Amino acid sequence: MPTEPSAATAPHAAPHAAPHPAPRATVPAHPAHPAHSVHPAHPVALPARRHLTVQPAGTPVLDVTIPVYNEERDLERCVRRLHEYLARTFPYGFRITVADNASTDSTPVISGRLEREIPEVRAFRLEEKGRGRALRTVWSASDAPVLAYMDVDLSTDLNALLPLVAPLISGHSDLAIGSRLARSSRVVRGAKREFISRTYNLILRGSLAARFSDAQCGFKAIRRDVAQRLLPMVEDTGWFFDTEMLVLAERAGLRIHEVPVDWVDDPASTVHIVSTAMDDLRGVWRIGRALAVGALPLDRLSRPFGDDPRDRQLSGVPGGLARQLVGFCVIGALSTLFYLALYSLSRTVMGPQLANAVALLVSAVANTSANRRLTFGVRGRDRAVRHQAQGLVVFAIGLALTSGSLAALDAANADAAHSTEVAVLLAANLAATVLRFLLFRAWVFPDRAGSAPDTDSGPGPGPGPETAADTATYTAAGTTADTASGTTADTASGTTADTASGTTADTASGTTAGTATESTPYHAEPKDDAR
């Protein structure tokens, strides 16, 4: 239902929503922590990526957040330069949000003046420090479909902004980051910062298997539908916020686009390198431990590939069967080689039956874990114990097949050569693999898509396309409502709810509602020079 904008939402309304901007929004010192929100019993995947649909009148496509703390020296110059650049070059509607992290100098006064003088600027005041806290708060309340942030010193060349957000607007990617470590990047900074940056990213690659090249560059963007799912999982409120967000997104299979940037270090930066590095290392340990025990519900972030014709449902073929079969065969082949290597190694110190049992047990546990995550897309620790128990039952069946084949061989030829044993076991193991796939698909990891009705009859086994109304409802209390198309409803108290209506309403700057039939691609239109 449409809601009347209040003082809490007025600063985020469209530039022309009110001729006189309302007072700046202020966030309480201790807001409800989104990381403790209640997850739905049966998480629904994100909808397939689509090009952004036409936005309601006055709703910006891009919301650029600038987190600041005691930046009275650089704030006005930065905001005016960024606004002039966007007004001159950016082909979509935009907004600049200054997120003040409890500054004690004249930063709040300057941001308030900029809000009054420039229609596209909004000021947001937080009573607690933390860059991550500022980004989570502002992004969670924004109505723009693409959310970005950059450092106040504008160390990154602004010519990289459109390449940063273009893959998100087109639907190609979920997140985008600027990289100072790409081959074509041009960076000017001291040897100390260069060493620390490269060392930190090497630590991420070695400890968390991160594949993105630059975690801490202050130049990133994310689609709002992804942020609504991802931000409640990010616990850090400081400088590690970026890294945690990227690691979780990458582990969930989201697509991260990297843009080489030209970057000039700000010698007057107030970042405390040593304390920040220690906080980051503690964050790496925390995330690594959570990933190791499966404590993160990453299945809430999974999304289908989109318009790939290979994802289209075929008559009479269960959804995802081809992809699951290919993944299972690859994992099965690797598991078989692993099993044979273990058996050959164990056979040197024990009898054939015991060597077979040990090799099959170890390879079966690894096979179940790999298929759970990679073939059937199950992440997190929900039902993990049950799945392993069922996997052991499947293992027992495979053990019976392979042990029976060894017993039959021994009965037929007690002095069979080792190569004959291996050949017999290979054939029996292949038969057990086929049976394992059938049991995994029908019993251990059954298709639970029925719990989340699919509102799209188009391509892909996942949810239907995003529509013009596929944006979240925001109220003064910070509530978001989503549908069974794959988004969730998050409230200020951290609860989540799913509906099956298939459409959502956006009330941050008025109200708009739409259906799939009203969805049309968003095309750049000439901007109003009067703005």
Side-chain angles (χ1 to χ4, degrees), residues 369-418:
S369 299
N371 278 300
R372 182 178 188 270
R373 177 180 176 85
L374 302 177
T375 303
F376 299 97
V378 180
R379 294 179 173 86
R381 58 185 178 183
D382 184 37
R383 298 189 180 90
V385 175
R386 176 181 176 182
H387 290 159
Q388 288 294 343
Q390 291 173 313
L392 290 177
V393 174
V394 176
F395 151 74
I397 297 175
L399 179 63
L401 284 175
T402 53
S403 298
S405 65
L406 281 177
L409 176 64
D410 184 67
N413 184 3
D415 298 324
H418 177 68

Side-chain angles (χ1 to χ4, degrees), residues 438-512:
L438 297 177
L439 290 174
F440 273 175
R441 182 174 173 83
W443 179 49
V444 183
F445 308 110
D447 184 10
R448 304 181 186 278
S451 62
D454 190 350
T455 59
D456 178 27
S457 60
E466 300 169 82
T467 69
D470 198 11
T471 54
T473 302
Y474 295 95
T475 67
T479 306
T480 51
D482 279 17
T483 67
S485 62
T487 55
T488 61
D490 292 342
T491 67
S493 60
T495 57
T496 41
D498 287 347
T499 66
S501 60
T503 60
T504 59
D506 192 335
T507 62
S509 61
T511 58
T512 56

Side-chain angles (χ1 to χ4, degrees), residues 293-331:
V293 301
L296 298 170
L298 298 180
D299 51 345
R300 296 182 65 223
L301 298 174
S302 62
R303 84 147 88 226
F305 287 100
D307 294 328
D308 191 332
R310 292 172 295 181
D311 293 328
R312 295 178 182 173
Q313 294 180 347
L314 302 177
S315 177
V317 178
L321 175 61
R323 179 173 298 158
Q324 289 178 359
L325 187 58
V326 170
F328 183 86
C329 288
V330 172
I331 294 174

Side-chain angles (χ1 to χ4, degrees), residues 183-252:
R183 290 183 179 274
S184 56
S185 298
R186 294 181 293 181
V187 177
V188 178
R189 61 177 167 179
K192 179 181 178 181
R193 286 183 176 269
E194 181 76 13
F195 173 77
I196 292 175
S197 177
R198 291 188 177 275
T199 301
Y200 178 66
N201 283 282
L202 283 175
I203 291 174
L204 293 180
R205 288 175 176 269
S207 60
L208 300 178
R211 295 189 297 273
F212 46 85
S213 64
D214 192 350
Q216 289 288 37
C217 181
F219 196 69
K220 296 181 176 67
I222 184 173
R223 286 178 64 106
R224 190 187 64 187
D225 58 346
V226 177
Q228 288 173 347
R229 297 294 190 86
L230 183 57
L231 295 184
M233 301 182 191
V234 180
E235 295 185 12
D236 192 81
T237 59
W239 294 96
F240 188 69
F241 175 88
D242 302 50
T243 302
E244 184 172 356
M245 178 179 68
L246 292 176
V247 169
L248 296 183
E250 187 175 76
R251 287 301 186 96

Side-chain angles (χ1 to χ4, degrees), residues 71-113:
E71 296 288 352
E72 60 183 4
R73 183 176 63 90
D74 296 327
L75 178 58
E76 182 165 3
R77 174 179 56 84
C78 160
V79 171
R80 291 192 181 277
R81 177 184 166 197
L82 176 59
H83 178 266
E84 185 277 332
Y85 177 85
L86 290 173
R88 177 170 49 87
T89 66
F90 196 69
Y92 302 93
F94 64 88
R95 177 192 300 137
I96 301 172
T97 301
V98 179
D100 177 15
N101 293 274
S103 295
T104 56
D105 61 1
S106 60
T107 296
V109 177
I110 296 173
S111 60
R113 186 177 72 249

